[in-house]
Amino acid sequence: MPNRLAHETSPYLLQHADNPVDWWPWSAEAFEEARERGVPVLLSVGYSSCHWCHVLARESFEDEQIAAYMNAHFVNIKVDREERPDVDAVYMEAVQAATGQGGWPMTVFLTPDAEPFYFGTYFPPAPRHGMPSFRQVLEGVRGAWTDRRDEVAEVAGKIVRDLAGREMSFGDDRVPGEEELAGALLGLTREYDASRGGFGGAPKFPPSMVIEFLLRHHARTGSEGALQMAQDTCERMARGGIYDQLGGGFARYSVDREWVVPHFEKMLYDNALLCRVYAHLWRSTGSELARRVALETADFMVSELRTNEGGFASALDADSDDGTGKHVEGAYYVWTPQQLREVLGEQDAELAVRYYGVTEEGTFEEGASVLQLPQQDEVFDAERVAGIRRRLLAARAGRPAPGRDDKVVAAWNGLAVAALAETGAYFDRPDLVDAAIAAADLLVRLHMDDRARLSRTSKDGQVGANAGVLEDYADVAEGFLALASVTGEGVWLEFAGFLLDQVIVQFADPESGALYDTAADAERLIRRPQDPTDNATPSGWSAAAGALLSYAAQTGAAPHRTAAERALGVVKALGPRAPRFIGWGLAVAEALLDGPREVAVVGPDGHPMTTALHRTALLGTAPGAVVAVGAPESDELPLLVDRPLVQGEPAAYVCRNFTCDAPTTDPDRLRTALSG
């Protein structure tokens, strides 16, 4: 019989609804059950596209004997970390503090008061490499709970006290300046992998937010070193196996330093961030590679992740059926030389082997290779290569496809809205702008209530029960602000303002300006989560600082500007010390140092010169510049107020803090004004 998870909307939780484990969703009732039974809680946290989460489920949660033991001695709670990032963050912090590492699946044992006392991630079904089996862990925890309850309580209390002492106090009125940003660039240079691109060693993650900082820093200072690191890293990723050379879109990360073998899950947030980065790289350099990758990534999001309601699904799984009924990581994406010959014939397969770096030994497992574009001297026939790609893509479409997590996450959809709006505007793709508008409409219609409070997720048009966290408000506002700049529709600016007002009221400490990840009236956990460092996505803290700064530039709203500056105190503290982990905060600081510039384009809708000036403004590289476009008498966008036509012609005004230079009717002059 299905367990309690059968009533949930999360695809990850639904994957466990038929487990013999008597799972509970995260709820007060689950902890009350543990108190009544006098047993500990086993908290298991994962997500739908997590490979090792599926492995643990197959090995242990589907095992009748292990499930019976879990049911007899624990109350078992399953959490989708993408639905409850606050729960995940609190207990992951405890895991990392205790063990020095973390990851998913995350396994945490709690008292009935939700206090953690033992931790781990994946545990195998039998002892392996010095790691205990999952059954041994269960028996050990049960023994400690039964025989040494006082010791368990002491450990749990100490952990909770330690977490309580970790609260940040970096919000203040000291904004980062030239010294901190130069120090951050120096730190990145030291960690840069000059031969392979990217930063640090394996596993290697796409440094989207750091690249955004490097592009902005180059635009503001002319630093060629910053631009070179951004360009080389983007080219290495685009040529590597981490990028899907047939269907477009990026995998989550590379398991090696060379970007060859990815962890094959494809996440919406990675692709939204990288789509925008490559579009911005093209804007800065005119790189044809950057243009191609930006558009292919945008098309991947629309074709593979768009839901029937107009939003974007969270992820594609890493695993898929290899054709024998066995779920294998990467099965959908990898090729052997023989498979290429079967699809292409001998001659075209020989070319494909060279072009895509396929080897007889394989670059992945069991003789299979991940397709990549290795640097080589050979010049290939572009038309023939395009035909090969089409045939391979069609053949791949006949393979069992990876599963899709159809959950719509507000924050990640906000990132997608921003990326698609800008990419569509840059490359004259109104269909991409339309896709951004449709997703934004869904966020307003379904996720946002009449008090401008956000729900974190929805699925199949049904809104989830979990409240939005700081990153939801910040990233959705970011998407709305990008739409306002691209479309000239003031309603998106208005919606962004509603959300950012909530950020100030519900998420900011009124004394210090520091930001919390959960609202003041949110469910109380053992600690109120708070993390300014970027991970796979911009932290809610730095994303909020960026959206607040852009909104203030569009409207002149002093409280929002002040809130942004106070939040950026954390960048002053962490930027020079840990630049890889606060890239978006550094990018926002670049915008602050530049103004950011405010561009008002006034002119009749559809007038060729209005269109030309608007496009030029959007393509300006000034860090974090905001753009407003519309008729001079429009009161929808504050930047347009009191900005008249010039001798009856459309004109552009470039301003800082609503103080403007002389207007221009010449797109070339506007381009120069926004180029540095």
Side-chain angles (χ1 to χ4, degrees), residues 12-337:
Y12 175 66
L13 298 187
L14 290 171
Q15 288 169 0
H16 294 272
D18 292 318
N19 289 169
V21 178
D22 185 18
W23 290 114
W24 291 71
W26 179 273
S27 60
E29 292 78 8
F31 287 97
E32 184 58 35
E33 173 79 3
R35 272 188 286 273
E36 290 182 3
R37 288 176 51 193
V39 297
V41 168
L42 188 162
L43 172 64
S44 177
V45 182
Y47 57 103
S48 176
S49 56
C50 164
H51 170 71
W52 287 104
C53 299
H54 295 312
V55 173
L56 179 62
R58 288 194 298 268
E59 293 175 343
S60 295
F61 300 152
E62 295 174 10
D63 183 284
E64 295 283 351
Q65 291 185 332
I66 290 179
Y69 194 90
M70 291 171 66
N71 296 338
H73 302 294
F74 303 90
V75 168
N76 305 291
I77 297 179
K78 176 61 75 173
V79 166
D80 181 344
R81 67 175 292 261
E82 296 171 352
E83 279 199 332
R84 290 301 303 263
D86 52 340
V87 171
D88 176 64
V90 164
Y91 292 105
M92 184 59 74
E93 186 175 12
V95 171
Q96 291 173 330
T99 68
Q101 58 187 3
W104 299 276
M106 176 169 64
T107 307
V108 186
F109 294 90
L110 315 175
T111 71
D113 293 323
E115 297 178 336
F117 62 89
Y118 188 77
F119 321 91
T121 51
Y122 164 78
F123 292 105
R128 186 187 305 162
H129 307 307
M131 188 186 305
S133 71
F134 189 59
R135 178 63 181 253
Q136 287 174 326
V137 170
L138 295 176
E139 291 172 349
V141 170
R142 186 211 170 196
W145 181 260
T146 303
D147 302 329
R148 304 188 301 278
R149 185 78 58 88
D150 290 345
E151 181 181 327
V152 167
E154 183 180 345
V155 168
K158 182 179 184 303
I159 291 170
V160 170
R161 288 192 298 274
D162 178 62
L163 292 176
R166 290 168 171 254
E167 190 162 304
M168 302 281 182
S169 58
F170 290 130
D172 59 30
D173 59 358
R174 296 175 300 141
V175 298
E178 293 281 1
E179 182 180 351
E180 287 80 19
L181 296 180
L185 181 64
L186 180 61
L188 290 170
T189 302
R190 289 175 179 145
E191 296 188 65
Y192 181 62
D193 185 341
S195 62
R196 306 171 187 86
F199 301 88
K204 195 174 267 187
F205 291 79
S208 310
M209 293 145 279
V210 167
I211 293 173
E212 188 66 43
F213 160 63
L214 293 171
L215 292 174
R216 289 186 179 189
H217 189 77
H218 166 71
R220 188 178 63 83
T221 69
S223 168
E224 290 301 323
L227 179 62
Q228 196 68 50
M229 285 191 284
Q231 281 184 297
D232 290 353
T233 297
C234 284
E235 179 170 355
R236 285 285 186 164
M237 290 192 298
R239 287 184 167 276
I242 193 173
Y243 184 68
D244 183 349
Q245 303 297 341
L246 298 183
F250 287 86
R252 178 70 198 89
Y253 62 86
S254 173
V255 301
D256 57 86
R257 297 182 64 177
E258 290 80 17
W259 308 105
V260 174
V261 178
H263 186 44
F264 290 89
E265 61 192 294
K266 284 181 169 180
M267 311 300 297
L268 172 61
Y269 53 74
D270 284 317
N271 285 284
L273 289 165
L274 287 164
C275 176
R276 202 177 186 191
V277 158
Y278 279 88
H280 289 174
L281 177 61
W282 171 83
R283 183 175 66 177
S284 295
T285 66
S287 162
E288 181 56 35
L289 175 70
R291 178 185 186 277
R292 175 176 66 80
V293 171
L295 285 170
E296 288 176 358
T297 304
D299 287 336
F300 159 74
M301 287 192 286
V302 173
S303 64
E304 299 296 327
L305 295 179
R306 198 174 188 193
T307 68
N308 292 334
E309 295 74 31
F312 291 92
S314 296
L316 298 181
D317 284 357
D319 300 6
S320 58
D321 192 323
D322 66 355
T324 69
K326 182 180 177 183
H327 269 64
V328 176
E329 184 180 6
Y332 187 70
Y333 299 101
V334 298
W335 297 82
T336 64

Side-chain angles (χ1 to χ4, degrees), residues 306 310 312 416-417 420-421 430-445 480 483 486-487 489 492:
R306 198 174 188 193
F312 291 92
V417 167
L420 292 170
D431 59 310
L432 298 180
V433 179
D434 289 343
I437 292 171
D441 281 338
L442 177 71
L443 291 169
V444 172
R445 185 176 73 252
F480 290 169
L483 265 187
V486 165
T487 66
E489 295 178 4
W492 301 116

Side-chain angles (χ1 to χ4, degrees), residues 209-553:
M209 293 145 279
V210 167
I211 293 173
E212 188 66 43
F213 160 63
L214 293 171
L215 292 174
R216 289 186 179 189
H217 189 77
H218 166 71
R220 188 178 63 83
T221 69
S223 168
E224 290 301 323
L227 179 62
Q228 196 68 50
M229 285 191 284
Q231 281 184 297
D232 290 353
T233 297
C234 284
E235 179 170 355
R236 285 285 186 164
M237 290 192 298
R239 287 184 167 276
I242 193 173
Y243 184 68
D244 183 349
Q245 303 297 341
L246 298 183
F250 287 86
R252 178 70 198 89
Y253 62 86
S254 173
V255 301
D256 57 86
R257 297 182 64 177
E258 290 80 17
W259 308 105
V260 174
V261 178
H263 186 44
F264 290 89
E265 61 192 294
K266 284 181 169 180
M267 311 300 297
L268 172 61
Y269 53 74
D270 284 317
N271 285 284
L273 289 165
L274 287 164
C275 176
R276 202 177 186 191
V277 158
Y278 279 88
H280 289 174
L281 177 61
W282 171 83
R283 183 175 66 177
S284 295
T285 66
S287 162
E288 181 56 35
L289 175 70
R291 178 185 186 277
R292 175 176 66 80
V293 171
L295 285 170
E296 288 176 358
T297 304
D299 287 336
F300 159 74
M301 287 192 286
V302 173
S303 64
E304 299 296 327
L305 295 179
R306 198 174 188 193
T307 68
N308 292 334
E309 295 74 31
F312 291 92
S314 296
L316 298 181
D317 284 357
D319 300 6
S320 58
D321 192 323
D322 66 355
T324 69
K326 182 180 177 183
H327 269 64
V328 176
E329 184 180 6
Y332 187 70
Y333 299 101
V334 298
W335 297 82
T336 64
Q338 178 59 32
Q339 288 172 327
L340 293 177
R341 286 191 285 269
E342 290 169 0
V343 173
L344 300 172
E346 200 69 42
Q347 287 189 335
D348 280 351
E350 183 182 337
L351 185 149
V353 162
R354 299 196 309 275
Y355 185 76
Y356 288 119
V358 176
T359 68
E360 289 293 339
E361 300 79 16
T363 59
F364 182 50
E365 296 173 355
E366 299 182 0
S369 291
V370 183
L371 301 189
Q372 50 184 317
L373 298 181
Q375 290 278 12
Q376 49 191 290
D377 296 331
E378 182 176 359
V379 177
F380 293 90
D381 182 319
E383 187 174 339
R384 188 177 172 195
V385 166
I388 287 172
R389 181 186 177 193
R390 285 193 297 270
R391 290 159 66 193
L392 290 177
L393 191 59
R396 193 178 78 175
R399 296 175 174 179
R404 188 173 87 163
D405 185 332
D406 285 331
K407 176 174 74 269
V408 172
V409 176
W412 307 349
N413 274 255
L415 296 174
V417 167
L420 292 170
E422 291 184 354
T423 303
Y426 295 173
F427 302 117
D428 194 23
R429 285 282 303 274
D431 59 310
L432 298 180
V433 179
D434 289 343
I437 292 171
D441 281 338
L442 177 71
L443 291 169
V444 172
R445 185 176 73 252
L446 193 61
H447 285 248
M448 191 171 169
D449 68 16
D450 56 6
R451 299 177 301 134
R453 302 304 294 273
L454 284 174
S455 294
R456 170 75 174 170
T457 62
S458 67
K459 184 178 180 294
D460 299 329
Q462 179 182 349
V463 69
N466 299 305
V469 295
L470 178 60
E471 71 163 353
D472 294 305
Y473 286 81
D475 289 337
V476 171
E478 177 79 14
F480 290 169
L481 289 165
L483 265 187
S485 287
V486 165
T487 66
E489 295 178 4
V491 65
W492 301 116
L493 182 63
E494 186 176 10
F495 284 138
F498 293 154
L499 296 176
L500 293 170
D501 287 345
Q502 291 291 342
V503 168
I504 292 173
V505 171
Q506 287 286 344
F507 294 89
D509 185 319
E511 298 299 323
S512 69
L515 295 168
Y516 292 93
D517 292 332
T518 54
D521 58 2
E523 176 189 352
R524 284 286 176 264
L525 302 174
I526 58 170
R527 143 174 166 77
R528 190 177 179 189
Q530 181 186 47
D531 187 358
T533 58
D534 299 326
N535 197 311
T537 58
S539 69
W541 189 317
S542 57
L548 287 162
L549 184 64
S550 294
Y551 181 77

Side-chain angles (χ1 to χ4, degrees), residues 536-672:
T537 58
S539 69
W541 189 317
S542 57
L548 287 162
L549 184 64
S550 294
Y551 181 77
Q554 281 275 14
T555 63
H560 298 77
R561 172 92 182 193
T562 299
E565 291 178 351
R566 298 182 81 191
L568 286 173
V570 74
V571 179
K572 185 179 182 72
L574 296 182
R577 289 191 283 137
R580 283 175 57 192
F581 304 103
I582 198 159
W584 192 250
L586 291 165
V588 176
E590 287 288 347
L592 180 67
L593 259 64
D594 195 64
R597 273 173 261 193
E598 308 137 4
V599 189
V601 176
V602 292
D605 184 34
H607 190 291
M609 190 51 67
T610 306
T611 301
L613 290 169
H614 182 213
R615 176 174 170 77
T616 301
L618 291 172
L619 292 176
T621 57
V626 300
V627 178
V629 61
E633 67 274 10
S634 171
D635 59 359
E636 281 193 13
L637 298 168
L639 272 178
L640 303 180
V641 174
D642 296 329
R643 309 276 188 259
L645 301 175
V646 173
Q647 297 179 345
E649 293 294 319
Y653 295 77
V654 179
C655 321
R656 284 185 174 94
N657 295 317
F658 277 63
T659 300
C660 303
D661 297 334
T664 182
T665 60
D666 183 349
D668 289 335
R669 288 188 178 180
L670 177 60
R671 185 176 299 109
T672 299

